[in-house]
Amino acid sequence: MKSFEEYKESGLFDELQLEKIEQGLEKGLDVSIYAKPEFHHYQMYQIIEGLEDGIDVSIYAKPEFDDWQMTQIKAGILNKVDVNIYANTKYNGDQMLQIRLGLREGLDISWYADPIYDEMQMYQIRLGLEDGIDVKIYAKPELNSSQMYQIRLGIIGGFKNEISEYAKPEFDAEQLWQIRCGFTDGFDEDDISEYAKPEYSWEQMLKMRVELLEEFLELVNK
């Protein structure tokens, strides 16, 4: 095993990298695994932690994984999930996080473990799976995470069939919010269809919804 002085005299490492190499040597770790110029010191840190935990770091001790990706793979190994499912550079660290959390909970991550979804879309799909709702209503690449969020809340609120009619990209998140609030207000589909139209801005929808609510309250109070 090389000495610290040999690594230092090689001229291949910066001060922060040398600091991590020295730490590893002091702890009796096999620093040859990470004492390579291509590893940033943040990456070295994740490898050191894995070595200290006694796990197989070879799965993620690769320059192509940044330190956040390494963190998620390391955590997955410690969680005893199948990290081979996501230890792939096609996923960024945040996507890996959502896949790992789903695997940890025993969820069917096939719904979102695909690079066509960004990490926030994955998050909304994972939460839906955790809630036990029918995520196929909104697990669509063409819907952004904010749209997914409003649809998910509508399903949780008991309006699965109603809100699914509006789970379309032409309705933005703010419009979906007003549509969802209409169902929460107790309006029927005919009432909501009066303002649930893509050509109306969410502010227009809000005004029309409030007017409907006022009319409804007037009838109730008669």
Side-chain angles (χ1 to χ4, degrees):
M1 182 179 290
K2 289 184 180 180
S3 67
F4 175 69
E5 286 303 317
E6 287 178 291
Y7 284 112
K8 186 176 181 179
E9 291 172 3
S10 71
L12 298 173
F13 304 96
D14 63 31
E15 288 186 12
L16 292 173
Q17 289 173 310
L18 287 170
E19 182 181 301
K20 297 304 177 191
I21 294 170
E22 186 173 29
Q23 287 176 3
L25 288 169
E26 289 174 351
K27 294 176 180 179
L29 303 177
D30 182 1
V31 300
S32 65
I33 294 172
Y34 67 88
K36 301 171 184 177
E38 57 265 34
F39 283 121
H40 189 278
H41 70 273
Y42 288 129
Q43 294 170 301
M44 289 183 171
Y45 174 75
Q46 294 302 326
I47 298 169
I48 289 172
E49 280 204 330
L51 290 170
E52 290 182 307
D53 288 330
I55 64 175
D56 180 7
V57 299
S58 66
I59 298 173
Y60 69 88
K62 301 172 183 177
E64 57 265 33
F65 291 124
D66 64 31
D67 60 305
W68 185 227
Q69 290 171 311
M70 286 183 172
T71 299
Q72 297 310 319
I73 298 170
K74 173 167 62 69
I77 296 170
L78 292 171
N79 293 158
K80 300 188 185 306
V81 301
D82 185 0
V83 297
N84 292 309
I85 292 172
Y86 66 87
N88 191 307
T89 54
K90 69 182 180 181
Y91 300 118
N92 64 39
D94 291 323
Q95 289 172 311
M96 287 184 176
L97 169 63
Q98 295 306 320
I99 296 170
R100 177 176 68 81
L101 292 176
L103 288 169
R104 190 181 67 179
E105 298 301 318
L107 302 175
D108 177 9
I109 62 159
S110 63
W111 277 103
Y112 64 90
D114 191 302
I116 59 173
Y117 293 112
D118 65 34
E119 58 269 20
M120 295 310 297
Q121 289 173 308
M122 286 183 170
Y123 176 62
Q124 291 302 324
I125 298 170
R126 179 174 65 79
L127 290 181
L129 290 169
E130 288 183 357
D131 290 330
I133 63 175
D134 187 359
V135 297
K136 73 174 181 290
I137 294 171
Y138 67 86
K140 304 171 183 177
E142 62 268 24
L143 296 176
N144 63 40
S145 60
S146 297
Q147 292 168 307
M148 289 181 174
Y149 171 68
Q150 292 299 329
I151 297 165
R152 181 173 67 82
L153 290 184
I155 298 170
I156 292 172
F159 308 108
K160 171 185 172 182
N161 294 330
E162 295 87 344
I163 200 71
S164 64
E165 293 296 315
Y166 301 97
K168 302 172 183 176
E170 53 260 39
F171 292 105
D172 65 29
E174 288 77 14
Q175 291 171 312
L176 287 168
W177 171 40
Q178 292 307 313
I179 294 168
R180 179 175 63 80
C181 285
F183 290 120
T184 303
D185 290 335
F187 299 148
D188 60 29
E189 292 186 49
D190 288 336
D191 290 330
I192 291 175
S193 66
E194 290 185 27
Y195 70 85
K197 298 175 182 178
E199 59 265 29
Y200 291 136
S201 68
W202 76 267
E203 292 94 343
Q204 290 173 306
M205 287 186 174
L206 172 61
K207 181 180 179 182
M208 297 171 75
R209 182 173 68 81
V210 170
E211 289 173 352
L212 282 170
L213 187 58
E214 288 172 348
E215 291 174 9
F216 177 74
L217 291 174
E218 285 178 11
L219 288 173
V220 171
N221 294 325
K222 279 184 180 181

